[in-house]
Amino acid sequence: SPPLPPPPLYVFCFLHSVQIYLSESVAFLGIYLLYIGVVVLLAYLQKRAEEWSKTQRLLHGDDHLSEQSPLVQSKVVASARDEPDKPHSTEDDEDEEDPDEIPGLTWPSAGHIGVKIQFVIEYPFSILRWISIPPCEARWNKWRRFFLVVFPFPAAMMLLIASESWDGFSIPVGAVPMYGLWLILAPFLSGLLFFWSRNVTQLGGGLQAFSAFFAFIMSIAWLNVEANEVVALLESLGLVMGIDTAILGLTVLAIGNSVGDLVADTTVAKKTPAMGVSSCFGSPLLNDVLGLGISLTAYTVANYPSPFSFNIESSAFSNVKLSWIFLGFSLVLSAVVFPAFRFSPPRSYAFVLWFVYLLFMVISVLNEVKVIRVHFQ
């Protein structure tokens, strides 16, 4: 395979290449690993800077401490460094939650009529979520233990649907279908969880780590199933109404395909705004760089030494190039705006991003129906 271009120019060379070799696809995975390393390094440096700032305030802000011996100063600084920062009080902290409340299953008696109607509609799905996603919060009661014990079989069925759709139930394992095998294995796993949790009064330690890991896996499976169902529903609606699939892909299907990210990022942003911003950029990066890298690497390994070839100058790539332009513009704009406003941009910036997206969608649809022609040389 040809030598790799310099790292700063790698992505640009990749976008304009007509052949992707094994070394180039592996380098995409390296870009993601580099990103993870930079994030971890910056987080470490930020933590060290905060510790140094706290140390300086202690040493120079207390005249009595500054007159003490270096040994006394080092003890005070070490104790301050080990002391955790006090969390900021929020409205959620002020409202104490009932430890026996099960979100989605406990009747919202204090809610208005809209909340109660939503509760009734969501109730069957809430049951499915609770029995397939193990609880990992520190709060513990008999119902959370029940959901932890029974989750193995529903979780296995949900993973089958997420990975193989409904055909997963007919996958044979020897002379037994896949669901039959899990009907045999799940009671043993549930029994182990029953004895593991028998003396637990507050979830923690290895049991909480186990629950958190599988809760993360099952949450991804649920988001994948929901997004796929939304996409399938919208695609069926488009076929019935005679809407071109290319237009559906640029508009409603693209939105439906991002429902999972929208729900996850919104939930994270409500708790920690800075983390929500990171999630908005980190999730697409994971999909584009890692997903593209893994798929291209798998293809080039299976067909080595032949590369993956495509024609970037074809008309089908015109909207792809158009999306690169708008994506690059929005990323550069956000990279300037967020630091400038200390990661708390004004509400008006949301309307700017909406306008950029709507402009992209309008131009793409008009280009697809040949009302206008967008050419790239």
Side-chain angles (χ1 to χ4, degrees):
S1 58
L4 290 176
L9 300 178
Y10 177 75
V11 175
F12 298 99
C13 293
F14 172 83
L15 295 178
H16 292 282
S17 175
V18 295
Q19 291 183 327
I20 307 301
Y21 289 88
L22 176 61
S23 57
E24 295 173 327
S25 61
V26 171
F28 246 72
L29 301 177
I31 292 175
Y32 187 75
L33 294 178
L34 177 63
Y35 160 75
I36 294 296
V38 170
V39 169
V40 172
L41 177 61
L42 290 178
Y44 172 78
L45 294 177
Q46 181 180 4
K47 182 179 179 181
R48 297 293 296 178
E50 291 174 353
E51 291 178 352
W52 182 85
S53 178
K54 179 187 271 188
T55 301
Q56 295 303 309
R57 288 197 304 269
L58 283 171
L59 292 177
H60 300 291
D62 191 336
D63 295 335
H64 174 72
L65 181 60
S66 61
E67 296 174 357
Q68 300 296 323
S69 65
L71 179 60
V72 175
Q73 292 181 6
S74 63
K75 290 182 178 179
V76 174
V77 170
S79 63
R81 180 180 299 173
D82 295 336
E83 180 183 355
D85 295 333
K86 295 181 179 180
H88 299 288
S89 61
T90 61
E91 294 181 0
D92 294 337
D93 297 331
E94 296 175 359
D95 299 333
E96 295 184 359
E97 297 182 356
D98 183 359
D100 294 328
E101 179 182 358
I102 306 295
L105 300 183
T106 303
W107 176 253
S109 56
H112 55 76
I113 185 63
V115 173
K116 294 178 180 179
I117 293 176
Q118 180 182 358
F119 174 86
V120 173
I121 296 174
E122 292 182 351
Y123 190 76
F125 302 99
S126 298
I127 294 178
L128 291 176
R129 287 198 306 269
W130 274 101
I131 64 175
S132 60
I133 303 178
C136 56
E137 297 175 303
R139 291 184 300 166
W140 193 247
N141 55 37
K142 61 179 182 180
W143 280 111
R144 283 178 164 79
R145 185 190 179 198
F146 169 77
F147 291 129
L148 175 66
V149 170
V150 303
F151 100 92
F153 181 74
M157 298 302 98
M158 179 57 65
L159 289 174
L160 279 178
I161 296 174
S163 59
E164 300 293 339
S165 187
W166 296 102
D167 295 334
F169 291 94
S170 60
I171 296 177
V173 181
V176 181
M178 181 66 74
Y179 72 87
L181 177 64
W182 276 104
L183 280 174
I184 299 172
L185 294 178
F188 291 98
L189 297 177
S190 295
L192 291 176
L193 291 173
F194 177 82
F195 286 104
W196 193 2
S197 61
R198 66 185 185 279
N199 295 323
V200 173
T201 57
Q202 185 176 6
L203 193 61
L207 184 58
Q208 186 176 28
F210 171 86
S211 299
F213 174 77
F214 281 99
F216 175 75
I217 298 297
M218 293 311 304
S219 297
I220 294 176
W222 265 95
L223 291 174
N224 180 65
V225 170
E226 291 174 355
N228 288 339
E229 290 302 317
V230 170
V231 171
L233 178 62
L234 292 174
E235 187 174 16
S236 300
L237 182 63
L239 292 175
V240 170
M241 298 178 64
I243 302 175
D244 189 84
T245 55
I247 298 177
L248 284 174
L250 290 170
T251 54
V252 292
L253 292 183
I255 296 174
N257 197 38
S258 301
V259 166
D261 288 339
L262 174 63
V263 173
D265 294 343
T266 303
T267 303
V268 172
K270 287 180 179 179
K271 298 293 183 181
T272 309
M275 190 181 297
V277 174
S278 301
S279 179
C280 288
F281 292 104
S283 179
L285 183 65
L286 175 67
N287 292 333
D288 296 338
V289 179
L290 192 60
L292 195 60
I294 292 176
S295 58
L296 287 175
T297 300
Y299 179 90
T300 51
V301 167
N303 297 274
Y304 186 83
S306 299
F308 174 78
S309 303
F310 59 93
N311 182 14
I312 202 172
E313 300 300 330
S314 64
S315 59
F317 264 86
S318 60
N319 280 328
V320 175
K321 295 178 182 179
L322 192 63
S323 66
W324 290 342
I325 293 174
F326 278 90
L327 176 62
F329 173 77
S330 62
L331 289 177
V332 172
L333 186 62
S334 296
V336 174
V337 171
F338 277 100
F341 287 92
R342 297 183 179 275
F343 291 90
S344 296
R347 185 185 297 269
S348 57
Y349 182 61
F351 295 101
V352 172
L353 293 177
W354 273 106
F355 173 77
V356 171
Y357 176 74
L358 291 175
L359 181 62
F360 158 72
M361 190 166 59
V362 169
I363 295 177
S364 298
V365 170
L366 293 178
N367 180 58
E368 188 65 35
V369 298
K370 298 180 174 56
V371 174
I372 62 175
R373 299 301 298 171
V374 180
H375 297 282
F376 295 94
Q377 298 299 330

